[in-house]
Amino acid sequence: MSFEGDRHHALRVLSVSKHRFGAAGEVGLFSMTASGLEPVLDPSALLLADRRAGTAGSIVVPVLEGQRPFLAEIQALVVKSVLPTPRRAAQGVASGRLALVLAVLEQRVGFALGPLDVFASVVGGIRVTEPAADLALGLALASASAGVALGEDLVALGEIGLGGELRQVVHTERRLVEATRRGFRRAIVPASAPEPPEGMTVVRVTTLAEAVAACELGLARLKSAS
Amino acid sequence: MSFEGDRHHALRVLSVSKHRFGAAGEVGLFSMTASGLEPVLDPSALLLADRRAGTAGSIVVPVLEGQRPFLAEIQALVVKSVLPTPRRAAQGVASGRLALVLAVLEQRVGFALGPLDVFASVVGGIRVTEPAADLALGLALASASAGVALGEDLVALGEIGLGGELRQVVHTERRLVEATRRGFRRAIVPASAPEPPEGMTVVRVTTLAEAVAACELGLARLKSAS
Amino acid sequence: MSFEGDRHHALRVLSVSKHRFGAAGEVGLFSMTASGLEPVLDPSALLLADRRAGTAGSIVVPVLEGQRPFLAEIQALVVKSVLPTPRRAAQGVASGRLALVLAVLEQRVGFALGPLDVFASVVGGIRVTEPAADLALGLALASASAGVALGEDLVALGEIGLGGELRQVVHTERRLVEATRRGFRRAIVPASAPEPPEGMTVVRVTTLAEAVAACELGLARLKSAS
Amino acid sequence: MSFEGDRHHALRVLSVSKHRFGAAGEVGLFSMTASGLEPVLDPSALLLADRRAGTAGSIVVPVLEGQRPFLAEIQALVVKSVLPTPRRAAQGVASGRLALVLAVLEQRVGFALGPLDVFASVVGGIRVTEPAADLALGLALASASAGVALGEDLVALGEIGLGGELRQVVHTERRLVEATRRGFRRAIVPASAPEPPEGMTVVRVTTLAEAVAACELGLARLKSAS
Amino acid sequence: MSFEGDRHHALRVLSVSKHRFGAAGEVGLFSMTASGLEPVLDPSALLLADRRAGTAGSIVVPVLEGQRPFLAEIQALVVKSVLPTPRRAAQGVASGRLALVLAVLEQRVGFALGPLDVFASVVGGIRVTEPAADLALGLALASASAGVALGEDLVALGEIGLGGELRQVVHTERRLVEATRRGFRRAIVPASAPEPPEGMTVVRVTTLAEAVAACELGLARLKSAS
Amino acid sequence: MSFEGDRHHALRVLSVSKHRFGAAGEVGLFSMTASGLEPVLDPSALLLADRRAGTAGSIVVPVLEGQRPFLAEIQALVVKSVLPTPRRAAQGVASGRLALVLAVLEQRVGFALGPLDVFASVVGGIRVTEPAADLALGLALASASAGVALGEDLVALGEIGLGGELRQVVHTERRLVEATRRGFRRAIVPASAPEPPEGMTVVRVTTLAEAVAACELGLARLKSAS
């Protein structure tokens, strides 16, 4: 039995590592209460509380922990470095995927992030390592670089290849249902993604560059709905 | 069964890592006595003994170990560096969260910590990794930088986002009850925090910058009560 | 029981590490669905979805996970570095094998990669560490360096020695059958490889230099069929 | 079952890591003899043999291993560095606590150790990680820096905070009883320490600076008794 | 149960780490086939396939995995470095032993390898850490440096001391029998090695320098037989 | 059950890590033979074969593995460095103890080793981490620095403190008996060491400096007997 996220965080993602093909329901989010570990009925609500509108560098991604989707907020901060080797600091994001997404942002989209300190973080002490969060991470970094906030009702979903292309991720529908349930209305997804649930509009893109362009150009439109 | 904090510290935080959804009471603080491991009835008292009033860079945070809150003192020391790459030394604080809090202090609050050696520590050999301790860590660093001591009856509680915003943490009430029981009278908390227990006054802030301002400007007032 | 690939990726490669010479069928690819972990019937299809034609630095290799072959896409990105020590970033590829393949590309084939940042990745969060993927990695790097895309119906298979020579890998036939089944028509293989299955043409080479030459020179021909 | 100290050292500190709240007596010091592992009846005697009087940089601290106190000698060596980044080498001392104690010595006491190579070690291959050994470590470093030996009948006990203050440690009495039994007559302890056993004189200090001053100024007096 | 070599390599060296003094036959080489893990009847044949004659930097060493000897090919590549700190990259060779062998080559034999990038690798994803492979590693490095290929029918066997001397290794006879069975006819061995099996000629040397000299001077002779 | 030394070395030091205070005889040296793991009756003989007389930087130390002593040869190589940060490479010696012994050699004995590359190794792939081997390591380094070989019939035994003093080690008698049995006739030991067995002469020293002086000055005498 091990806990994901910071080990002492009261909100815990519990993975029973020794079960043998058991029910996937054994994997879920738990909170430590006065009566012990109790399942969190609405982890997305807890994780999104106190989110600030209009802050550049923030976006939400529907992640999977076991079969249960929940919404995680990814944040980025990009600042001029005073060090000979600029910092790459990831908290809750796999540093390998951060390096990959930064390389694509630089080479395929045209951002010049090399001489900058880059920070990326997931709110709530949660650790998100799915490639499915690549697009959200890329957009958070682009938003922080541009100093332009993304729409509050926007989620993003997709793996990024080194060619800059977006790749399908599993269980897109189930993830978008959870985002819709929580009030999100727009999603940036790979072109091949399935139809979204009712109440959710998807923006289909084939590359990270297209996704960045869609957010910058269509920002007023996306924001007007929020 | 594993022990948190320095392994040889006589005060131990015991986590039974193999229990299956057992009573949360299996997780607690233990002291090694002549009759073996015995629960510490009042860990906060032990951890706060010998605290010195009027020292810059020190603040108390109510942390959770299992369902039981106790008070940990976070300390910071910020000094001019003589090294090409200034030091970032964390003892009992997760280095990843220290990096995140430092980035926000620099970018969102305006502190220039880059060329300084930074030390952060938790008294008693305890390891605190909850994002809930972010605000206390940020204030300890700000206090050390400014060379201004924080009030002795002050605690702080809240996760810090890369946007500089403060985020809700779980079990705020239970934590503040423990702080009140130990004689603390003021708490800096996120704006959305629940009502404090009787005898505790809360200062609600939405960003780390506001928290820093509240402490600096309101320092005389906060201190006058101590 | 442990999961290969990113631990939270919905597509998982499950290795039962405690079985005792059990059926190899216990090792395979699983997806997390609403009813729990379920075997993925066609992992190659899932991993190759959204592949973009005409992108330099991409090639497919039939890998083995247990006795079951599936197709993994290896990607490379090679860019001018602004750092004193150029980056070598591997995601899903063993960094040791990347260093070896880069050394051979430089010394035995004549590529000048030293002052460049090099990124290598496997799509889908899968981790490929077989030496059998050396040739695909070498061709992805050469393709990215030359800025010339490889044919879409091309796979590559073979271990690379420090002399630049290609070495036999086990189960070549079974791997090529899977590639053929998925629509691939050409394979670059070591000279000693067995006969390919019907529908697959093999290009036999003895060194990485020959493989690179075959792809560059024969590119029009290889591409015309795709 | 694991062994502290160097794994092949004949004197071993045995920790039975799987006992469930068992008798603390299961934790102790063992020696490997012809009949197997046997408890060491007097570990302090073994550890202090061959101690040299009048050597700067050496002091003894009563540490706890389980409920059993024994005496460990901490040594320091401070020399001019020829390297761009001076060395910080710790053998048997946690490098994190060494960094903390060095920072306090520099910032709160006034030692200039930055450009020097610093070595710290515990005699006998024992590993001491208790914060309770901070004061002994600080005094060993100060003694080595000043080139002045500490009194032979002196022990020190206390955790050091980043403010330079000394903090209480658990089981001070039991530790001082062991020191007294072994012939030590003076102890430097935090101001709040309990009364010492008969035959032991305590010097109460509130900061590391006071402790350093007490040893330098009072050195003749402290030494005259030895 | 753990697998040596790259974990996903189809040819695996299986070590049953929990057997209790069981039959050594439980340790061996396995291949993953359609019916599961099956012992490889002739691992040397598989590992030596596609070896290229006349390539500098390659030599074969008979290693032991459990009680079963098999032949591993060690390769080296030595090239001018463009980096401030030249590379030392080992794939399948312990980096500690590579450093030791390089030091002896420089100090006791006279090779100037300091400013060069050095790569060492074992074919087949196998990991060889026996000191018995030191001599083969040293000769591969010397051959790569000199740009002179070693004879194809040559194996080498021996541990290298820091004095440059060759040390006996266990089970020399059994190793040479395996080499002879696979068609190797010459072996460079420490002076004290036992008599070789029929069909194998040994060159006895006392130092790495002598071994290097024997290969360079006697190269024509050694090669003429191959 | 774990194996010390290089894991694939045919001579293995077997530690049964799960025995409960069992017979110490369960810990010993084993060789892998045709009938499986078999105890090595005379490990010292195997480890000392092919030792070369008259080579600077080599000395033998009687170490303990469980209750069984055997003789290990420690070697050192000290050469002018061409790197900005000189190398410190330890094979089979704990790097922490190497750093400590080097510091004492420089500060307490007067050797200038800072700008030199230093290599230390134990013959046979054995790992020696006992502080008891400090003196042998120090003398090997001094011998290598001076370019003067130590006597062949000489062993050394003792822990080195940061003050340069030699400390008692456990089971000195049993160790010297093994050295005597193997033909060694002289031992350098701490002043407090017990009487040696018949046939062994001890040179008693109180510091590493004295030990170094004894070897240099008394070298002719010590060598004449060999």
Side-chain angles (χ1 to χ4, degrees), chain C residues 144-159:
Chain C
S145 294
V148 178
L150 295 162
E152 266 181 274
D153 64 347
L154 184 71
V155 296
L157 190 60
E159 178 179 354

Side-chain angles (χ1 to χ4, degrees), chain C residues 2 4 15 17-24 64-67 84-86 88 96-97 99-100 103-104 106-108 114 127 129-132 159 161-168 170-171 174-175 190 192 206-207, chain E residues 1 3 6-12 14 16 18 26 30-37 46-52 55-56 73 75-80 82-84 87 89-91 119-125:
Chain C
S2 69
E4 288 306 308
S15 309
S17 65
K18 286 187 178 170
H19 74 128
R20 296 182 55 75
F21 300 73
L64 281 181
E65 190 56 42
Q67 62 178 304
T85 304
R88 297 286 178 266
R97 296 220 76 84
L100 183 152
V104 172
E106 293 190 282
Q107 300 306 317
R108 307 291 186 185
R127 184 160 175 79
T129 55
E130 281 194 289
E159 178 179 354
L162 279 177
E165 82 279 12
L166 290 183
R167 315 295 296 236
Q168 203 179 102
V170 293
H171 304 309
R174 203 186 307 163
R175 297 174 195 247
S192 63
T206 60
T207 63
Chain E
M1 184 175 82
F3 296 95
D6 278 305
R7 205 150 50 83
H8 297 284
H9 202 239
L11 177 66
R12 296 163 197 254
L14 177 64
V16 182
K18 285 185 178 170
E26 286 190 71
F30 289 78
S31 171
M32 180 67 76
T33 71
S35 10
L37 280 177
L46 188 62
L47 289 170
L48 296 178
D50 295 311
R51 197 177 175 219
R52 283 184 89 205
T55 306
E73 181 183 347
Q75 298 187 323
L77 183 56
V78 176
V79 299
K80 213 174 145 180
V82 297
L83 296 174
R87 270 178 289 189
Q91 182 71 5
F119 300 88
S121 176
V122 182
V123 171

Side-chain angles (χ1 to χ4, degrees), chain D residues 9-116:
Chain D
H9 203 240
L11 177 66
R12 296 163 197 253
V13 180
L14 177 65
S15 311
V16 183
S17 66
K18 285 185 178 170
H19 74 130
R20 296 183 53 77
F21 300 75
E26 286 192 71
V27 183
L29 285 156
F30 289 79
S31 172
M32 180 67 75
T33 71
S35 11
L37 279 176
E38 291 184 354
V40 171
L41 297 185
D42 193 357
S44 299
L46 189 60
L47 290 170
L48 296 178
D50 295 311
R51 199 178 172 217
R52 282 182 90 204
T55 306
S58 162
I59 192 168
V60 167
V61 56
V63 294
L64 280 181
E65 190 55 43
Q67 61 177 308
R68 182 180 192 175
F70 64 88
L71 302 181
E73 181 183 346
I74 293 187
Q75 299 187 322
L77 182 57
V78 175
V79 299
K80 213 173 146 181
S81 182
V82 297
L83 296 173
T85 305
R87 271 177 289 188
R88 297 286 178 265
Q91 182 72 5
V93 175
S95 59
R97 297 219 75 85
L98 175 58
L100 182 153
V101 171
L102 285 170
V104 173
L105 266 179
E106 292 190 283
Q107 299 306 317
R108 307 291 186 186
V109 190
F111 282 74
L113 300 163
L116 304 177

